């Protein structure tokens, strides 16, 4: 499970930051990529990565401002020419279906795959045997959503090497041991599956918020997440401006992370006026409240390990 930041800028593209798009790479988990927002130029950014558009299974749109959706028609169209024939699901606020279909209709674009639109409301919007995705409304003037992606817990793995070392051959017996059952072997030995199943792994959780003021909904959605991705459009001294424009400051993003008891905070949606050292200062400001904070740059990759795999 990895996050790859395809665009980390706010409002308009800049030389050093494209507008918003984030890929959640689930290649080991389900051989798929989930995209969060798709600002102008996202498909050009993808060309500079190892992401294959045909692997994009779902696109989650936080809100309908242009810097978050203007790349959608181009990416959807190009996916047809890049081996994409599997269905694509697009989640987002009411209006996302009309926006995409109008663009495709007017441009007479024909796709080699089907589109499914899910216009979201607060609550669970996706569930299968691997993941649950929940969303909630934030505070941004227009409907803006945050998405919480919660991986389900993993059962412990059967320690096959240990069993083979004891002369136990693979077969139906392995299935019984995996369930923790006690099995009597043909030679009379008794083996308990509980002795040969590794520790279970707690599923990982990633919360990606759209543009928003600081809000209780943000804190609740991000609760105990392994990673929180939060916008940071303004510095700590610009709280009044942030409120007027329905955005957050560095300190406000850090306060959400602290109150939600997340493990890591990644700042994104950075204004083009913050260059080089000024951008690093945003990171330092957030660290005053929440030390485990990083500011994202385009093409940064954030690995999300299981907690028992984290090296101190």
């Amino acid at each position: 499970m990895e996050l790859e930041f395809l665009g980390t800028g706010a409002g308009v593209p800049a030389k050093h930051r494209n507008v918003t798009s984030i890929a959640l790479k689930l290649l080991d988990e389900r051989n798929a990529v989930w995209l969060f927002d798709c600002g102008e130029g996202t498909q050009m950014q993808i060309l500079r990565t190892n992401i294959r558009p045909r692997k994009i299974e779902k696109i989650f749109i936080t809100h309908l401002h242009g810097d978050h959706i203007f790349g959608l028609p181009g990416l959807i169209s190009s996916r047809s020419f890049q081996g994409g024939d599997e269905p694509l699901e697009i989640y987002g606020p009411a209006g996302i279906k009309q926006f995409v279909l109008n663009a495709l209709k007017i441009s007479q674009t024909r796709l080699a795959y089907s589109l499914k639109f899910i216009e979201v409301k607060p609550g669970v919007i996706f569930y299968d045997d691997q993941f649950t995705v929940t969303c909630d409304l934030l505070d941004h003037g227009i409907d803006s959503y945050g998405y919480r992606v919660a991986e389900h817990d993993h059962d412990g793995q059967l320690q096959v090497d240990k069993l083979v070392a004891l002369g136990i051959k693979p077969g139906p017996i392995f299935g019984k041991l995996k369930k923790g059952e006690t099995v009597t072997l043909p030679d009379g030995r008794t083996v308990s599956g509980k002795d040969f199943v590794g520790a279970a792994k707690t599923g990982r959780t990633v919360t990606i918020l759209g543009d928003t003021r600081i809000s209780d909904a943000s804190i609740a959605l991000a609760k105990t997440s392994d990673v929180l991705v939060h916008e940071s459009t303004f510095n700590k001294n610009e709280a009044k401006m942030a409120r007027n424009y329905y955005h957050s400051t560095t300190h406000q993003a850090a306060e959400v992370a602290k109150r939600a008891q997340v493990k890591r905070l990644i700042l994104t949606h950075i204004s083009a006026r913050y260059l080089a050292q000024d951008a690093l200062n945003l990171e330092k400001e957030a660290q005053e409240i929440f030390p485990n904070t990083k500011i994202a740059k385009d093409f940064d990759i954030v690995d999300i390990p299981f907690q028992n795999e984290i090296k101190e």
Side-chain angles (χ1 to χ4, degrees), residues 69-129:
I69 65 170
F70 282 168
L72 260 179
L75 176 62
I76 290 170
S77 176
S78 296
R79 186 175 181 265
S80 274
F81 299 102
Q82 295 166 327
D85 54 12
E86 294 295 321
L88 176 65
E89 295 182 349
I90 299 176
Y91 298 74
I96 189 62
K97 179 177 181 179
Q98 180 183 357
F99 168 75
V100 172
L101 293 184
N102 281 351
L104 297 179
K105 179 180 179 181
I106 291 170
S107 62
Q108 298 186 28
T109 300
R110 291 178 173 81
L111 303 180
Y113 59 90
S114 63
L115 289 176
K116 179 180 180 181
F117 294 92
I118 300 93
E119 294 193 334
V120 301
K121 295 181 180 180
V124 174
I125 57 171
F126 173 76
Y127 178 90
D128 68 4
D129 60 354

Side-chain angles (χ1 to χ4, degrees), residues 77-303:
S77 176
S78 296
R79 186 175 181 265
S80 274
F81 299 102
Q82 295 166 327
D85 54 12
E86 294 295 321
L88 176 65
E89 295 182 349
I90 299 176
Y91 298 74
I96 189 62
K97 179 177 181 179
Q98 180 183 357
F99 168 75
V100 172
L101 293 184
N102 281 351
L104 297 179
K105 179 180 179 181
I106 291 170
S107 62
Q108 298 186 28
T109 300
R110 291 178 173 81
L111 303 180
Y113 59 90
S114 63
L115 289 176
K116 179 180 180 181
F117 294 92
I118 300 93
E119 294 193 334
V120 301
K121 295 181 180 180
V124 174
I125 57 171
F126 173 76
Y127 178 90
D128 68 4
D129 60 354
Q130 288 182 299
F131 292 94
T132 298
V133 182
T134 308
C135 74
D136 204 357
L137 269 173
L138 306 176
D139 184 4
H140 189 52
I142 68 169
D143 284 356
S144 180
Y145 284 88
Y147 295 99
R148 177 185 178 94
V149 180
E151 181 185 31
H152 301 169
D153 293 347
H154 291 243
D155 293 335
Q157 295 296 310
L158 186 66
Q159 297 169 333
V160 174
D161 291 346
K162 291 184 178 181
L163 292 169
V164 172
L166 292 174
I168 304 173
K169 297 180 180 180
I173 189 174
F174 276 26
K176 294 179 180 180
L177 292 172
K178 181 68 167 62
K179 296 176 182 178
E181 297 178 14
T182 298
V183 176
T184 301
L185 304 176
D187 61 11
R189 287 181 293 166
T190 299
V191 179
S192 172
K194 295 177 181 179
D195 296 331
F196 295 92
V197 176
K201 294 181 178 180
T202 301
R204 297 156 290 183
T205 300
V206 179
T207 300
I208 299 173
L209 302 183
D211 295 358
T212 184
R213 293 168 170 167
I214 186 171
S215 71
D216 290 339
S218 300
I219 296 165
L221 200 63
K223 197 71 173 177
T224 66
S225 293
D226 292 275
V227 176
L228 167 63
V229 180
H230 198 299
E231 67 128 294
S232 182
T233 312
F234 293 95
N235 70 36
K236 67 179 183 180
N237 299 315
E238 298 174 321
K240 184 176 180 180
M241 190 179 298
R243 179 162 184 81
N244 289 342
Y245 286 94
Y246 291 89
H247 284 290
S248 293
T249 67
T250 53
H251 272 191
Q252 289 168 344
E255 186 64 29
V256 170
K258 181 179 179 180
R259 291 171 61 185
Q261 299 177 302
V262 307
K263 296 178 178 67
R264 281 190 286 175
L265 170 64
I266 310 294
L267 301 179
T268 188
H269 203 264
I270 309 302
S271 171
R273 67 184 183 277
Y274 297 116
L275 300 172
Q277 188 57 47
D278 288 337
L280 290 178
N281 287 339
L282 297 179
E283 181 179 275
K284 292 176 181 177
E285 288 178 8
Q287 289 171 345
E288 293 169 0
I289 293 175
F290 191 81
N292 197 6
T293 299
K294 295 292 182 184
I295 189 167
K297 305 186 298 296
D298 286 14
F299 306 112
D300 277 356
I301 295 176
V302 176
D303 182 46

